[in-house]
Amino acid sequence: MLKVFGRQKQSRAFKEYYLEWFNTLKKNLLPLLRRSIAGESPTILSSHVEMLHQHFQSYYHALDAAATTDPTQLLSQDWRHSLEKPLLWLADLHPFLFTNLVRSFLHQQYPPETDQNNPRRHLPLPFPDRPWQVALAWSNSSDSLTACMDQIECRLRHIVATLSDRLKSAESAFMECVVGNWFQCWEEQNIAAAKEAVGADVKAHMEEVVSVVLYANRVRRSVLVDIMSATTVYQAALFLEGLAQFLIDFREQDLLNAVEQCKVLPHPKHSLTSSH
């Protein structure tokens, strides 16, 4: 089938790359970032923040290469757990996940004591065991950061809708072409022509899919860059720590088992032994 696409299969499967990339994130870069968060050197912290940021950027460049050389391996992604797959959009994480994580930090920022009507004003300070610059990183977030998230999400809503529609149109056109061409050749009993026509249809469709995935990756990279540019080094450190931990947690077997357990256990209100 790869001959139909006119591309050479990569000598190394993207699954292998992803597992190596993930292990580097989990075992090396995240612990390194956490040590620098607990330290006292903003310079070292800034360096480790950029290392982790570039780790994500390199991943999306590798995803581009995989889509260009062998797009079939990105269609099923059998290395993903069942909890990860709902988070995906066009081969990887939905970019709204990034902005929603920033929103989560903004919403949990420590409210001022003078706000007597705020039900969160008695909550403990976030990250109390860390240096004060880190603990207070999101406490006094500027209005410009919120405005930046608004702008990013406004742009994303348009882009996501456009790319999703483009993919749907490509799938619809592919089905129409491939069935029509095959049927015509079948009627004419021309097997050779059928192979050529269907092969051309598949190739054209996969090229459009690859184009859409590459555009989606540019969007993901751009959103990460925008967030890095809009945040302080301490905010960026906590954001990347949260993003990395999110990915790690959603690959943990314990979480997967807990979700699966919730699926099979009846809700107390619906239990056969519950009283009514």
Side-chain angles (χ1 to χ4, degrees):
M1 182 173 288
L2 288 169
K3 292 181 180 179
V4 170
F5 301 147
R7 298 181 172 91
Q8 295 295 321
K9 186 174 182 179
Q10 287 181 300
S11 59
R12 184 188 188 195
F14 188 76
K15 174 181 180 179
E16 296 175 9
Y17 168 83
Y18 179 79
L19 294 177
E20 181 179 311
W21 179 90
F22 180 82
N23 286 333
T24 300
L25 175 72
K26 180 179 180 180
K27 298 178 180 179
N28 297 333
L29 293 180
L30 181 56
L32 188 65
L33 177 68
R34 282 177 168 157
R35 286 195 295 271
S36 61
I37 287 176
E40 299 180 355
S41 172
T43 302
I44 294 177
L45 176 60
S46 178
S47 175
H48 292 166
V49 164
E50 186 58 21
M51 285 175 60
L52 191 50
H53 176 212
Q54 290 305 317
H55 190 60
F56 280 97
Q57 293 290 344
S58 67
Y59 166 75
Y60 286 119
H61 285 296
L63 192 64
D64 282 350
T68 302
T69 57
D70 183 13
T72 57
Q73 62 182 325
L74 302 182
L75 298 181
S76 62
Q77 300 203 13
D78 58 356
W79 63 87
R80 297 281 191 180
H81 290 185
S82 60
L83 290 182
E84 295 177 285
K85 290 186 176 181
L87 304 172
L88 304 183
W89 172 75
L90 296 178
D92 201 71
L93 295 176
H94 200 296
F96 270 119
L97 189 150
F98 303 146
T99 58
N100 273 277
L101 180 56
V102 174
R103 295 282 190 190
S104 296
F105 280 111
L106 289 171
H107 292 162
Q108 61 87 249
Q109 62 182 306
Y110 192 61
E113 286 294 331
T114 55
D115 187 357
Q116 298 296 323
N117 296 322
N118 193 323
R120 294 176 54 84
R121 67 187 183 88
H122 295 300
L123 292 180
L125 186 70
F127 315 109
D129 57 337
R130 291 180 163 179
W132 68 268
Q133 300 97 323
V134 179
L136 296 174
W138 294 92
S139 296
N140 298 306
S141 300
S142 65
D143 292 339
S144 62
L145 179 56
T146 301
C148 180
M149 292 304 106
D150 292 341
Q151 293 172 1
I152 293 173
E153 290 178 342
C154 181
R155 186 173 76 247
L156 277 181
R157 278 189 287 271
H158 172 72
I159 294 175
V160 167
T162 299
L163 289 182
S164 297
D165 288 344
R166 183 176 162 187
L167 186 60
K168 289 179 182 178
S169 297
E171 291 172 342
S172 177
F174 170 65
M175 290 300 167
E176 182 178 347
C177 288
V178 75
V179 172
N181 288 335
W182 173 85
F183 190 82
Q184 181 179 350
C185 295
W186 178 59
E187 279 191 317
E188 298 170 356
Q189 295 295 296
N190 192 338
I191 303 301
K195 290 180 179 179
E196 182 177 352
V198 170
D201 290 337
V202 172
K203 180 181 178 182
H205 175 63
M206 291 307 300
E207 287 177 348
E208 177 66 1
V209 170
V210 169
S211 177
V212 171
V213 169
L214 294 180
Y215 197 112
N217 280 340
R218 288 198 297 272
V219 171
R220 283 182 272 257
R221 291 197 299 267
S222 175
V223 171
L224 286 175
V225 169
D226 288 345
I227 291 174
M228 291 296 101
S229 300
T231 53
T232 67
V233 64
Y234 300 106
Q235 291 171 337
L238 293 175
F239 166 78
L240 289 174
E241 179 192 32
L243 178 58
Q245 191 60 55
F246 183 90
L247 296 181
I248 292 168
D249 285 349
F250 270 73
R251 284 190 68 83
E252 289 292 337
Q253 192 63 40
D254 289 345
L255 180 59
L256 181 61
N257 292 340
V259 172
E260 292 297 328
Q261 188 71 7
C262 290
K263 289 181 181 178
V264 300
L265 288 178
H267 191 280
K269 288 179 65 176
H270 301 110
S271 172
L272 294 176
T273 59
S274 63
S275 58
H276 298 280

